[in-house]
Amino acid sequence: MNLEIYYEYCVSKKGATEHFPFDKDILVFKVGGKMFALSSLIQWEKVEPKVNLKCNLEYALELRTQYCDIIPAFHMNKVHWNTIIINGEVSDKFVKELIDHSYELVFKSLTKKNQTEILEF
């Protein structure tokens, strides 16, 4: 996976927006004002890309035992966030599934009003 594919996939999610809330390096994707994916642009440039994605607790732990390239997220709540090392053992297709999972978790946490506004936009 390259940065363009990652970017296009994240921004294609309904209501997704991009931000740089921390600095000019960390690209954050949000839905309803809440983060669902973030990644360092510098790491992509170094060809060492990683993405942080939200995950439910049981699934997060399961993924960490199954894949060496899925680890507790750096600088995030390690209970709810995983870091996925891109272009390793995790296929591009599965990375997209994990992005979907993260997006859905965050979307479902929004108020019904916010969900409706996003879906009608």
Side-chain angles (χ1 to χ4, degrees):
M1 178 175 288
N2 62 37
L3 179 58
E4 184 177 342
I5 291 170
Y6 166 73
Y7 175 88
E8 291 297 329
Y9 194 75
C10 288
V11 82
S12 74
K13 308 307 272 174
K14 189 78 172 170
T17 56
E18 63 177 282
H19 306 268
F20 288 90
F22 307 113
D23 55 33
K24 293 179 182 182
D25 174 42
I26 306 298
L27 173 60
V28 174
F29 292 97
K30 295 181 179 185
V31 61
K34 295 185 176 186
M35 295 187 297
F36 71 90
L38 60 151
S39 186
S40 162
L41 297 179
I42 292 171
Q43 291 301 115
W44 286 92
E45 289 172 6
K46 290 181 177 179
V47 194
E48 299 172 356
K50 299 173 184 139
V51 298
N52 285 359
L53 300 171
K54 192 157 192 166
C55 194
N56 73 39
L57 174 61
E58 297 81 21
Y59 193 40
L61 295 174
E62 179 184 325
L63 291 170
R64 293 173 196 168
T65 61
Q66 290 180 348
Y67 296 92
C68 293
D69 287 344
I70 299 179
I71 57 176
F74 186 65
H75 286 306
M76 304 292 288
N77 182 332
K78 290 160 182 36
V79 173
H80 301 286
W81 290 84
N82 280 335
T83 295
I84 294 81
I85 300 168
I86 304 297
N87 299 327
E89 68 178 326
V90 182
S91 71
D92 290 0
K93 180 181 178 189
F94 193 50
V95 171
K96 288 179 179 179
E97 290 175 20
L98 294 173
I99 292 168
D100 293 343
H101 176 70
S102 181
Y103 173 88
E104 289 166 14
L105 280 176
V106 174
F107 183 82
K108 288 177 183 177
S109 76
L110 301 174
T111 65
K112 294 293 180 195
K113 179 183 176 188
N114 286 349
Q115 290 178 10
T116 301
E117 289 172 354
I118 290 166
L119 292 174
E120 291 177 350
F121 182 71

